């Protein structure tokens, strides 16, 4: 007598959907609560009094919030652009080449900020830049931009490298066979195909730089608060729904960036 062995569909695991829903619920419930209480008319963040936009208006009229926001966008934009340029060159150098001894070490070296605790990177940058500050007397935003750029390179590198590895190398080979120079091949073949990965790296680097706290707190000089460090300072004092309102605006901004990138990348792929 032949017994039939029990089989199951690997695409459907019993209970996984329920566990996933619980995890997502626990992750997003605090965010939803923060957004709801941003519209609270009460001075307390824990007691609901009624619907109001007063805290959004308060944040809009707060010069410290405006200055910190502008500074955050300036640093994040500059750092994202610099990190993406460096990551693109690093990705090209590590993928458009034959495997050789030491290539794995280069991968690890580029991704080192992801493996090292951020506090270690922050302390190292503090010691390094403090010596430069003493020697030069300069204490502007250049240090924050340089620190954020160095920290954001691996975040931009990963999607760009993934895009390069998925691209058909025969197109670039065909361009070379047609006597195109290296620059023309990159400009007319590689770059158009690589553009979605560059956009992904730029967006990721921008978001990481925008909400960084630890490195910014260690590297910044007096009067150089970014919005995350300003919010951290306010949490040490009396907390009002104004912080919720600021967080809600940045949440909507992040969702908008991701949405725009999704439609742009879908058109280009």
């Amino acid at each position: 007598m032949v017994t039939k062995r029990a089989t199951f569909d690997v695409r459907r695991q019993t209970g996984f959907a329920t566990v996933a829903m619980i995890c997502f619920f626990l992750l997003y419930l605090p965010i939803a609560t923060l957004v709801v209480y941003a519209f609270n008319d009460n001075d307390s963040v824990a007691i609901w009094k009624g619907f109001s936009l007063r805290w959004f208006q308060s944040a809009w009229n707060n010069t410290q919030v405006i200055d910190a926001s502008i500074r955050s966008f300036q640093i994040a934009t500059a750092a994202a652009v610099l990190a993406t340029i460096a990551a693109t060159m690093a990705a090209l150098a590590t993928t458009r080449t034959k495997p050789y001894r030491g290539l794995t070490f280069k991968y690890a070296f580029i991704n080192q900020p992801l493996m090292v605790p951020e506090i270690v990177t922050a302390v190292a940058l503090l010691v390094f830049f403090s010596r430069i500050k003493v020697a030069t007397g300069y204490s502007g935003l250049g240090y924050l931009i340089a620190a954020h750029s160095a920290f954001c390179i691996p975040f931009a590198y990963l999607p760009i490298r993934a895009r390069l590895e998925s691209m058909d190398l025969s197109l670039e080979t065909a361009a070379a066979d047609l006597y195109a120079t290296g620059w023309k091949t990159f400009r007319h073949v590689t770059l158009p195909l690589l553009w979605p990965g560059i956009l992904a790296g730029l967006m990721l680097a921008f978001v990481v730089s925008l909400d960084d706290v630890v490195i910014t707190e260690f590297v910044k000089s007096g009067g150089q608060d970014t919005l995350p460090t300003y919010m951290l300072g306010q949490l040490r004092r009396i907390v009002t729904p104004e912080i919720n309102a600021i967080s809600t605006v940045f949440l909507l901004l992040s969702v908008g960036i991701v949405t725009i990138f999704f439609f742009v990348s879908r058109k280009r792929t």
Side-chain angles (χ1 to χ4, degrees):
M1 182 177 179
V2 179
T3 58
K4 187 177 181 180
R5 299 179 62 182
T7 60
F8 66 94
D9 189 353
V10 294
R11 296 171 297 180
R12 296 182 180 180
Q13 300 290 342
T14 304
F16 275 28
T18 304
V19 173
M21 290 176 63
I22 294 173
C23 291
F24 278 109
F25 178 77
L26 294 176
L27 277 173
Y28 290 106
L29 179 61
I31 299 177
T33 304
L34 179 145
V35 173
V36 170
Y37 275 86
F39 299 93
N40 187 12
D41 192 36
N42 200 352
D43 291 343
S44 172
V45 295
I47 303 174
W48 179 263
K49 184 178 180 181
F51 181 86
S52 175
L53 296 175
R54 57 178 289 205
W55 297 112
F56 290 91
Q57 184 178 4
S58 174
W60 181 262
N61 295 326
N62 191 330
T63 56
Q64 290 181 314
V65 173
I66 299 300
D67 291 341
S69 300
I70 294 174
R71 191 176 297 112
S72 294
F73 276 100
Q74 289 174 339
I75 295 171
T77 302
V81 171
L82 293 175
T84 304
I85 293 173
T88 302
M89 292 189 291
L92 288 168
T94 53
T95 57
R96 291 300 184 262
T97 183
K98 294 181 179 179
Y100 59 90
R101 183 178 297 179
L103 186 59
T104 304
F105 172 77
K106 288 185 177 180
Y107 289 147
F109 182 78
I110 295 172
N111 294 316
Q112 186 183 19
L114 297 177
M115 298 180 286
V116 176
E118 190 175 355
I119 186 67
V120 176
T121 305
V123 173
L125 290 170
L126 170 65
V127 174
F128 179 73
F129 287 136
S130 62
R131 293 181 177 272
I132 299 178
K133 288 180 182 180
V134 172
T136 62
Y138 172 73
S139 58
L141 290 179
Y143 298 110
L144 280 174
I145 293 174
H148 281 220
S149 300
F151 181 69
C152 290
I153 286 176
F155 292 96
Y157 172 79
L158 291 176
I160 295 173
R161 176 190 168 191
R163 180 69 180 178
L164 278 170
E165 290 180 339
S166 65
M167 286 167 50
D168 188 0
L169 189 60
S170 62
L171 297 175
E172 297 168 69
T173 305
D177 290 340
L178 294 173
Y179 303 102
T181 62
W183 169 247
K184 286 185 177 180
T185 301
F186 173 76
R187 180 183 175 185
H188 296 288
V189 179
T190 307
L191 186 59
L193 295 173
L194 183 59
W195 195 243
I198 294 176
L199 282 178
L202 180 68
M203 181 193 70
L204 188 57
F206 180 83
V207 173
V208 169
S209 174
L210 191 65
D211 67 358
D212 183 79
V213 175
V214 178
I215 290 178
T216 305
E217 193 69 31
F218 274 75
V219 176
K220 71 181 180 69
S221 301
Q224 293 181 352
D225 270 327
T226 60
L227 193 58
T229 59
Y230 168 80
M231 295 171 66
L232 179 64
Q234 293 301 306
L235 291 175
R236 297 169 181 168
R237 304 179 180 90
I238 299 176
V239 182
T240 66
E242 184 181 61
I243 299 299
N244 296 38
I246 298 170
S247 302
T248 301
V249 172
F250 266 74
L251 175 64
L252 294 176
L253 177 65
S254 301
V255 172
I257 292 174
V258 173
T259 304
I260 292 172
F261 166 74
F262 171 77
F263 286 108
V264 171
S265 62
R266 189 175 64 172
K267 290 179 181 179
R268 292 183 175 271
T269 53

